[in-house]
Amino acid sequence: MKITLSEVTDKIKSAQKIIVTAHINPDGDAIGSSLALMQILEILNKDVTVFIDDSIPFKFNILPRVQSINRPIENNEKISADLMIILDTQPDRIGRVLNMIDAPILNIDHHITNEGNSVDWLFLNPNAAATCEIIYELTKIINFKLTLDIAHCLYAGLATDTGFFNYANTKPNTLRVAADLVEAGVKPNVIAEEMERKSLADFKGLAETLKTVEFFFEGKVCGLFVSEEISHIVDTTEGIIDLIRVIDGVEIAFLLTCKERNLCRVSMRSRTVDVSAIARNLGGGGHIRAAGCSISAPFMVAKQILLNEIEKSIIGLK
């Protein structure tokens, strides 16, 4: 059931033990919104725990309380709670967390492809540039005074999901929110410098990944491929796709990453094509210009499945 942001506050107020989670392969928005909401709930005297079923890229270590994020452990015991809040995604992308929590589900998201399946309540604002923008609006409704730590988390998510305000999802309200966060004490240059940092392993992985670049369909599509062998030396692939999406003539850029022998993840960026439709056809979702999915198949099979789906979307492009 779709609800308003005011109704979201009612659900939060009526719950005491709350689990917060976000999607696997977490980005700045998933991590920032989770940490910000956790701290807000703690100040509201809630018993809150954050679970994310994946590793956290080291560059997000700058974010306050990032060490509070837990990974699921393998056991058969469910954790009971009054409410589970899923941020920045649908339930099918939170991994093992979905089956380990026994609680009603409140889903807060900004991805237009989210149809609210398998949740009790959905708040969806596809006009928001990031889930962090929604969490900021939530603080306004509950008349919550931002702390600097919370502002840092929200700004990091907002900045990274907009490509530091370069992407098409940057709207006037996005910049107003960013200005308020800066007024709260956030230093944009510090966040930017930390987000740009790469470990030596990341740099080596980037070099190996760039060697895999391929062009398809007369140069309209460009792909990078992180095979199982390369994945062992890559800590994170975040940001790599941005290096090829800017190539002249490329309408769709994608990154195909082997996570396990029969599981691959796809990230896509586009200039004109609705890549959310491609992702949705493959069981994923996202935005019109940025989307992703997982393909349960061996690496080379997944590559062909993806290219077949992309081909359907670029027919007729000049």
Side-chain angles (χ1 to χ4, degrees), residues 209-210 212-216 221-225 244 250 252-256 307:
T209 302
L210 287 175
T212 71
V213 67
E214 289 187 50
F215 292 88
F216 307 91
V221 177
C222 183
L224 290 173
F225 303 91
I244 61 171
V250 171
I252 298 176
F254 71 83
L255 172 69
L256 180 67
L307 288 173

Side-chain angles (χ1 to χ4, degrees), residues 97-118:
V97 180
L98 182 62
N99 294 322
M100 67 178 281
I101 306 298
D102 181 17
I105 297 175
L106 168 61
N107 193 184
I108 300 174
D109 196 8
H110 70 123
H111 295 99
I112 195 169
T113 52
N114 191 335
E115 297 178 349
N117 297 326
S118 304

Side-chain angles (χ1 to χ4, degrees), residues 115-141:
E115 297 178 349
N117 297 326
S118 304
V119 303
D120 296 280
W121 306 286
L122 170 68
F123 177 80
L124 179 68
N125 180 7
N127 292 317
T131 300
C132 280
E133 187 174 327
I134 298 173
I135 300 302
Y136 172 84
E137 298 298 344
L138 183 66
T139 66
K140 292 296 187 182
I141 289 180

